[in-house]
Amino acid sequence: MQDTDDKQAGPRSVLRVMNVLAMLADSTEGKTLAALSDQLDLPKTSLFSLLKALEAGGYIRTAAGRYLLGAEALKLGSSLRQASAFPRCARPTLEWLASETEETILLGVLAESGHEVTYVDVIESEKLLRFAVRVGNRRPLYCTAAGNVLLAFMTEAERAAYLDATPFVRFTPRTVDRAELDERIAQIRETGVVFDIDGLIDGASGVAGAVFDESGTVRCSITIAGPTIRLRDHLDHFTGLVRTAAEELSRILNYRGPFPPGSLAAALEPPPEAPVRKRGRPKSSSAPRK
């Protein structure tokens, strides 16, 4: 009988924690111990022990005899909102970038394998000559702009494991080798952006920026993709735009540090402000393909 009670106690304790947090989330003024005890139908002694543990973990705090949500609970709530909103939260930024460049815009994340970039959103250019890719398509990390920025901001252990396990297939004369990629990664870690020329397909290039989440971990990449000749003609302008877009989406994902994290230049910068767009709201990207 004792074994059954012990098994049930664990799940009940977890449920009580969630009930406490949910009740405090619904109260802007906080709750007293007596109010929580009455509403949760729990003895004050048991509830007080639970509250002390939550307070020690930073999930609740006390003020004027009342319990309120703490910093850790607010962070958890923010992370849950991000998880449900991504990649939808990126769409306005992608649309803005598409309207500014009139090129194909890609949102990429690291594939589950850890060896490829997966495109989770695409806005395709309406130009006759354009870069075309479908949502769900995967591409190698080492020879694409979208993959390069994800690779650059992996942990050193993750990046080393990837590089050691990856055969550097030369898809075009411009595909980078291991030494060239090492140099490029160092540059990306300083700037947060990269221009890859014909890395995977002759005549197709990309300008990509890294996007970071609240912890400073790289979350995704934003890429302007198109014919090499057009991207070269507008390289400086497009590089500035993709950086602005990457910074903006990083702020949406609650990253508040310098851009990119850990760079020498960023260490010398003042605290960041939200990036400023030069034009108004983006035009709709729902026009039919040509």
Side-chain angles (χ1 to χ4, degrees), residues 206-247:
V207 184
V211 176
F212 305 93
D213 64 16
E214 183 178 16
S215 67
T217 301
V218 64
R219 177 67 178 275
C220 60
S221 60
I222 295 181
T223 306
I224 304 168
T228 300
I229 189 171
R230 283 209 305 259
L231 265 60
R232 272 181 167 164
D233 287 345
H234 303 284
L235 180 57
D236 289 344
H237 182 52
F238 283 3
T239 299
L241 290 174
V242 83
R243 179 176 171 124
T244 296
E247 287 190 74

Side-chain angles (χ1 to χ4, degrees), residues 89-172:
C89 63
R91 189 70 183 189
T93 303
L94 302 184
E95 290 178 340
W96 170 79
L97 194 56
S99 71
E100 291 291 308
T101 64
E102 298 184 343
E103 298 291 354
T104 296
I105 308 300
L106 314 173
L107 185 69
V109 301
L110 189 66
E112 292 181 3
S113 67
H115 285 248
E116 297 171 302
V117 57
T118 300
Y119 298 121
V120 294
D121 201 357
V122 175
I123 299 178
E124 191 171 302
S125 172
E126 296 181 18
K127 293 184 177 181
L128 292 177
L129 181 62
R130 61 182 181 262
F131 185 90
V133 67
R134 294 180 179 178
V135 170
N137 281 177
R138 298 183 179 190
R139 297 292 184 266
L141 296 179
Y142 73 93
C143 60
T144 58
N148 282 181
V149 293
L150 296 177
L151 185 60
F153 291 99
M154 286 180 176
T155 65
E156 290 187 13
E158 290 170 336
R159 186 165 58 250
Y162 168 82
L163 294 174
D164 290 343
T166 298
F168 280 71
V169 178
R170 202 165 180 81
F171 294 102
T172 78

Side-chain angles (χ1 to χ4, degrees), residues 166-200:
T166 298
F168 280 71
V169 178
R170 202 165 180 81
F171 294 102
T172 78
R174 303 298 298 270
T175 303
V176 296
D177 59 24
R178 173 68 182 270
E180 291 170 329
L181 183 61
D182 285 341
E183 292 181 5
R184 180 177 291 184
I185 285 173
Q187 294 172 354
I188 295 170
R189 290 185 63 82
E190 283 299 314
T191 64
V193 297
V194 67
F195 178 39
D196 180 76
I197 307 171
D198 303 344
L200 184 62

